[in-house]
Amino acid sequence: MAEDKKQDEVPLVIEEQPLAEEQVSGAEEEDKAKESTLKETIQMIKESASEEDPKPSSQLNLRTILGGDLLTTEVVRSQIWLFVLIVAFSIVYVAFRYQCQQDMIAIDKLEQKLTDAKYKALSSSSTLTEKCRESHVLDILKQNQDSLLHQADQPPYIIEVPE
């Protein structure tokens, strides 16, 4: 096999023949024509390009951010997990803050209910105290003349019990 490859490999020898002057001048004319066409094409492209076309720049602007060009840079790609972590922490922060505000609103409502209940209990207690006073009870007994209860005429006396 190795011998077959050696036989297949034939050294390539190119002999350069000098070109005639006519052939050289024709080739030069073709090169000049190609160069002039290339220059004309470049000139037409420069003329067709206007200031309205966006110029590529390395500056950070809204178009590169919204267009997604920012995400293709190596700096962003290498730091993508940091950005994901920051976004996750931001979401957790906002969620906890919202939950804390909801808890504070619930606490305020419960404190208001507690204050209302205390005032209601105080008012009921004062009403009960007023109705249980001896003078008030006597007034009610006088209004209801059918009662046998009346105020004592004699002061109470102490009964001494010998031990």
Side-chain angles (χ1 to χ4, degrees):
M1 286 187 149
E3 293 177 6
D4 291 338
K5 287 183 180 177
K6 288 183 181 178
Q7 290 176 357
D8 289 342
E9 293 178 8
V10 178
L12 184 60
V13 178
I14 300 176
E15 296 179 15
E16 294 183 13
Q17 297 177 356
L19 294 174
E21 288 182 18
E22 294 175 1
Q23 290 177 347
V24 172
S25 64
E28 288 178 3
E29 288 178 11
E30 287 179 17
D31 289 339
K32 288 180 182 179
K34 286 181 182 178
E35 285 180 21
S36 65
T37 340
L38 183 62
K39 287 181 181 179
E40 289 175 6
T41 307
I42 291 173
Q43 185 64 28
M44 288 175 58
I45 291 173
K46 286 182 179 179
E47 289 174 1
S48 67
S50 63
E51 292 181 11
E52 295 173 1
D53 292 339
K55 294 182 181 179
S57 66
S58 63
Q59 295 178 350
L60 183 65
N61 57 24
L62 185 61
R63 183 172 184 164
T64 59
I65 293 171
L66 294 178
D69 297 337
L70 179 68
L71 299 175
T72 60
T73 62
E74 288 299 318
V75 175
V76 174
R77 283 187 178 180
S78 65
Q79 301 296 329
I80 192 70
W81 292 113
L82 176 66
F83 293 137
V84 169
L85 184 66
I86 290 171
V87 168
F89 280 147
S90 299
I91 290 171
V92 169
Y93 174 76
V94 169
F96 280 144
R97 182 178 173 103
Y98 178 76
Q99 184 62 40
C100 181
Q101 285 179 342
Q102 294 299 320
D103 291 344
M104 289 177 65
I105 289 170
I107 288 170
D108 288 341
K109 286 181 181 178
L110 290 174
E111 284 179 349
Q112 185 66 34
K113 282 185 179 180
L114 178 65
T115 306
D116 291 344
K118 283 182 179 179
Y119 287 144
K120 192 173 184 178
L122 183 63
S123 133
S124 299
S125 174
S126 68
T127 305
L128 180 64
T129 304
E130 181 185 338
K131 288 185 178 182
C132 290
R133 285 194 182 144
E134 185 180 349
S135 62
H136 188 46
V137 170
L138 289 175
D139 290 339
I140 291 175
L141 287 175
K142 284 181 184 178
Q143 288 175 1
N144 298 336
Q145 295 178 354
D146 60 346
S147 176
L148 298 174
L149 295 176
H150 64 280
Q151 192 171 12
D153 296 334
Q154 299 174 358
Y157 58 94
I158 299 174
I159 302 174
E160 295 181 13
V161 177
E163 288 183 26

